[in-house]
């Protein structure tokens, strides 16, 4: 639950906090996203999952923008908002943690059922 709360906080900060320029915003969000990973995961696979999700989701977003399906009001870097990969990274870490907790719960329930039989 705390991981989800931090992710929501990072999302809210990206939308509401006013920075002087987008580089400050991107660096702050990158630090917060890595802090989220460090606090709640600290695994290489979790970091790889976050980087992979950030790369693929940004690529899909870039393709949507390139094909005219979606458009930014003011792109920062190569027609992409520079803070977008940071949000996708934090979301990947959060979803990975949720999935891990659900898997642990499911294994526990299956083990309890097998002991009852």
């Amino acid at each position: 639950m705390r991981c989800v709360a931090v992710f929501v906080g990072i999302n809210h900060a990206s939308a509401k906090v006013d920075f002087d320029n987008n580089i400050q915003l991107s660096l702050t969000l990158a630090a917060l996203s890595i802090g989220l990973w460090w606090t709640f995961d600290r695994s290489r696979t979790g970091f790889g999952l976050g980087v992979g999700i950030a790369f693929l989701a940004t690529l899909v977003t870039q393709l949507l923008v390139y094909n005219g399906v979606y458009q930014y009001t003011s792109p920062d870097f190569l027609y992409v908002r520079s803070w977008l990969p940071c949000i996708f990274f934090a979301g990947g870490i959060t979803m990975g943690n949720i999935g891990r907790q659900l898997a642990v719960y499911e294994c526990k329930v299956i083990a309890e059922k097998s002991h009852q039989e």
Side-chain angles (χ1 to χ4, degrees):
M1 241 7 229
R2 288 178 288 167
C3 186
V4 173
V6 171
F7 174 69
V8 169
I10 291 172
N11 257 340
H12 189 70
S14 71
K16 297 294 181 185
V17 176
D18 222 7
F19 287 92
D20 291 336
N21 55 30
N22 285 324
I23 293 173
Q24 281 183 333
L25 173 64
S26 298
L27 291 175
T28 302
L29 290 177
L32 288 172
S33 297
I34 290 174
L36 175 87
W37 168 76
W38 184 258
T39 304
F40 296 106
D41 195 352
R42 291 188 193 179
S43 69
R44 289 184 203 159
T45 55
F47 189 79
L49 174 74
V51 169
I53 294 291
F55 177 76
L56 290 175
T58 304
L59 180 67
V60 168
T61 305
Q62 178 70 8
L63 289 173
L64 291 173
V65 169
Y66 181 74
N67 290 323
V69 176
Y70 183 74
Q71 131 180 8
Y72 296 116
T73 54
S74 58
D76 297 337
F77 179 72
L78 296 176
Y79 300 105
V80 175
R81 298 295 293 186
S82 60
W83 49 264
L84 196 59
C86 300
I87 298 298
F88 286 138
F89 177 84
I93 297 298
T94 303
M95 293 301 117
N97 280 334
I98 290 171
R100 188 177 300 125
Q101 292 298 320
L102 289 174
V104 167
Y105 176 75
E106 184 177 333
C107 288
K108 188 185 293 185
V109 168
I110 290 172
E112 287 175 2
K113 284 184 180 180
S114 67
H115 288 296
Q116 290 175 354
E117 294 174 357

